[in-house]
Amino acid sequence: MLIKWSKPFRKNPKLVWGSFFAIGTVVYLKVWIPLTGLSIPCPIHAVTGLYCPGCGMTRSLTALLKLDLEAAFRYNSLVYALVPLYLCYWLLQRKKLHRTSNAVLIAMVILALGYGIARNLPLFDRLAPPDL
């Protein structure tokens, strides 16, 4: 028996894949990690002992699912700067303003690299994720 997808899903396969990704993420964060205690470790931190720009993301997303905004921000604050910039980039791409969207993309890369460097300096140790 073939599954008949509703009209929005047939016209937009990105919606299907995005839905599967979102459901998988929630199951991973709310079921797998609490049951097993196993999560994906950061390979950069495991090898070098340094914090990458993404360190603390899993715990940040878990805190967001619990609506604990303060803890989510504490685990990885970079996301809260990148999400609005990414939305701006996406809108500029849709409007075909490629020069401006490329500038926003470059700003996002520079911000991520700067954040990754700063969170490993003693002066900015508050940017490092707690409890690693």
Side-chain angles (χ1 to χ4, degrees), residues 3-132:
I3 298 173
K4 281 194 156 189
W5 294 95
S6 64
K7 197 171 187 176
F9 286 108
R10 274 189 312 222
K11 287 192 172 194
N12 192 355
K14 290 179 184 177
L15 185 61
V16 173
W17 288 109
S19 299
F20 284 138
F21 180 75
I23 291 168
T25 301
V26 171
V27 168
Y28 171 72
L29 294 172
K30 295 296 273 182
V31 177
W32 176 259
I33 292 176
L35 284 177
T36 65
L38 300 173
S39 64
I40 301 169
C42 175
I44 294 173
H45 184 70
V47 172
T48 65
L50 299 174
Y51 300 112
C52 75
C55 278
M57 264 325 272
T58 302
R59 289 176 285 154
S60 180
L61 289 173
T62 304
L64 271 180
L65 286 174
K66 295 176 184 174
L67 299 177
D68 187 355
L69 300 178
E70 182 181 345
F73 189 79
R74 176 68 178 104
Y75 286 126
N76 193 319
S77 55
L78 176 66
V79 170
Y80 306 99
L82 287 183
V83 167
L85 284 173
Y86 179 76
L87 289 173
C88 180
Y89 169 78
W90 182 74
L91 288 171
L92 290 168
Q93 281 285 5
R94 285 189 60 129
K95 292 184 179 194
K96 308 231 186 283
L97 298 170
H98 297 294
R99 180 176 272 179
T100 309
S101 69
N102 287 341
V104 172
L105 182 63
I106 290 169
M108 290 185 336
V109 170
I110 290 171
L111 181 64
L113 290 173
Y115 182 79
I117 292 169
R119 70 189 323 201
N120 290 292
L121 298 174
L123 181 62
F124 300 105
D125 62 348
R126 67 185 173 279
L127 295 176
D131 304 321
L132 265 184

